[in-house]
Amino acid sequence: MNTYTFDEIKVGMSEAFDVTITEQMLESFKNITGDINPLHNDEDFARSKGHSGKVAYGMLTASFLSTMAGVYLPGERSLIQQVNIKFAKPVYIGDKLTITGEVVEINETVQRFELKVTIVNQENKKVLRGQMTIGVI
């Protein structure tokens, strides 16, 4: 876990990490949220809708933004204040995702910064893009 202080955060800083989506992740997400939509839980249903298999929950994919802020940038001093995201492409079991955050703006008055976030799959196709406002406590 990183421990960046506000004074250490600079425009252009970036961090990245990888995660591979597993069947267990989908099952855990379903158990936590109660979302039983067949697109995420029924292989045949998902294929009948034109997908190559079960589609990972969008909010599961987006949840890795919490990891970005809380572990990587800034790490333990993170307080997420706002998240704006767009889901660009579906994510499937077995996809290897790279989650990247880059500091694009700093507000010294309130000790927060703007983090541009992107998630790409193993084919380098963007599956999520967005921006986070993160306070540093």
Side-chain angles (χ1 to χ4, degrees):
M1 174 181 293
N2 289 329
T3 58
Y4 292 116
T5 64
F6 182 76
D7 291 338
E8 293 173 311
I9 303 295
K10 306 293 181 215
V11 171
M13 278 180 80
S14 67
E15 293 280 349
F17 66 96
D18 297 327
V19 66
T20 300
I21 301 300
T22 66
E23 176 82 35
Q24 182 59 46
M25 288 175 175
L26 270 67
E27 188 68 22
S28 295
F29 193 90
K30 177 179 76 174
N31 291 336
I32 291 167
T33 65
D35 184 346
I36 57 170
N37 185 305
L39 189 63
H40 311 297
N41 294 286
D42 182 328
E43 189 87 23
D44 293 333
F45 179 85
R47 288 184 189 280
S48 76
K49 300 301 177 193
H51 294 281
S52 61
K54 291 189 236 180
V55 177
Y57 295 92
M59 295 309 289
L60 171 62
T61 302
S63 74
F64 296 113
L65 300 184
S66 180
T67 308
M68 171 55 70
V71 176
Y72 292 94
L73 194 55
E76 72 176 11
R77 294 180 174 90
S78 169
L79 180 62
I80 298 172
Q81 297 175 347
Q82 185 173 338
V83 178
N84 183 358
I85 56 173
K86 177 169 176 56
F87 300 105
K89 292 196 178 304
V91 172
Y92 301 100
I93 295 168
D95 279 357
K96 180 181 177 185
L97 304 179
T98 300
I99 297 90
T100 304
E102 179 186 353
V103 178
V104 293
E105 184 180 324
I106 295 175
N107 185 325
E108 292 184 19
T109 305
V110 292
Q111 291 201 338
R112 69 180 180 204
F113 64 94
E114 299 294 322
L115 190 68
K116 175 184 168 188
V117 291
T118 57
I119 300 180
V120 298
N121 64 18
Q122 66 279 358
E123 298 170 351
N124 205 35
K125 292 185 179 175
K126 201 174 289 185
V127 299
L128 181 148
R129 65 179 181 266
Q131 191 150 329
M132 301 173 72
T133 302
I134 304 171
V136 182
I137 55 174

